[in-house]
Amino acid sequence: MRSFLWRFETSLNDLQPVMKLPTEILTSIFLLVAESNPITGYPNNRRPYSYLGARSATSYVDWLPLTRVCRRWRAEALACSPLWGRIPLSLGQKGIDEFIRRSRGASIVIDCAHHDRYTHLHDMLRPVHIARARELHLPTTALQGQTADQLLPMLKHPAPRLEVFTIRGGFAGAILRRRA
C-alpha cells in the first residue's frame, strides 16, 4: 500500500507545470538562487546542515533545500557541477569534501573573507584547488603572522582559471581587488 501511495504521489508531482521546465532553465534557476542566497553564518531562523559537516548553528547553505524538493530537482542539482563550485569553508571538512566532489571539474570559488577561522584554508590553497579557482577571496587577517608564512607561498602556484582575486580588510575596511 505504501508503495502504491508513493507512486501515486510521484505521478501527481510529475503533472505539475514546474516539472515541465527544461533542464537548462531549472539549473539556471538553481544557479541564480545559489548566487543570491550564499552561505551565511548569521541568520537565526535557519537550521544548520549537520549532515554536511556543519559544526555549529552558524553554518548555513540557504539554497540547499532546493535539492530536496523532489527526485528530479535533486538529480538536476547533483548533475549541475557549477552549483557546487562555491566551496563553503564554514561547513567543515566533510562539507568541503562533498562540495568539491559534487563540483567535479568545474571552476570553484574559494571565499573565506567572511569567516573568522581559517581552519580549512590551508587545504583549499593546495595546487589542485588553486588550479580550479575562478575566484579567490582572502581576509587580511589570514595573511598575518604565522598564517601568512604558511599561506603566501601557496599562492605562487598557477591559477589558469582565476578571474577575481580579492583581499578584504585592513585599514578602515579598505578592499584591494584585482581582476585578471
Side-chain angles (χ1 to χ4, degrees), residues 12-22 25-26 72-73:
L12 287 177
N13 286 344
D14 290 342
L15 296 174
Q16 299 300 317
V18 72
M19 297 306 282
K20 293 177 175 68
L21 284 175
I25 292 176
L26 190 59
R72 177 176 178 229
W73 284 28

Side-chain angles (χ1 to χ4, degrees), residues 49-56 59 90-96 120:
Y49 293 94
S50 58
Y51 59 90
L52 279 177
R55 292 195 174 96
S56 71
S59 299
S90 62
L91 288 181
Q93 195 60 52
K94 184 178 177 184
I96 291 170
H120 306 289

Side-chain angles (χ1 to χ4, degrees), residues 60-130:
Y60 302 89
V61 182
D62 290 340
W63 56 265
L64 202 56
L66 287 176
T67 66
R68 294 178 166 226
V69 170
C70 65
R71 286 181 301 150
R72 177 176 178 229
W73 284 28
R74 180 165 181 76
E76 299 290 359
L78 290 174
C80 181
S81 55
L83 182 62
W84 305 95
R86 185 171 291 275
I87 310 301
L89 300 183
S90 62
L91 288 181
Q93 195 60 52
K94 184 178 177 184
I96 291 170
D97 291 345
E98 190 61 25
F99 271 65
I100 290 286
R101 186 183 68 76
R102 291 178 181 183
S103 70
R104 294 182 280 291
S107 295
I108 60 174
V109 175
I110 302 169
D111 185 356
C112 74
H114 302 291
H115 304 289
D116 58 359
R117 293 176 286 141
Y118 315 111
T119 312
H120 306 289
L121 181 57
H122 191 272
D123 182 56
M124 289 306 300
L125 294 181
R126 289 184 301 142
V128 67
H129 299 313
I130 288 291

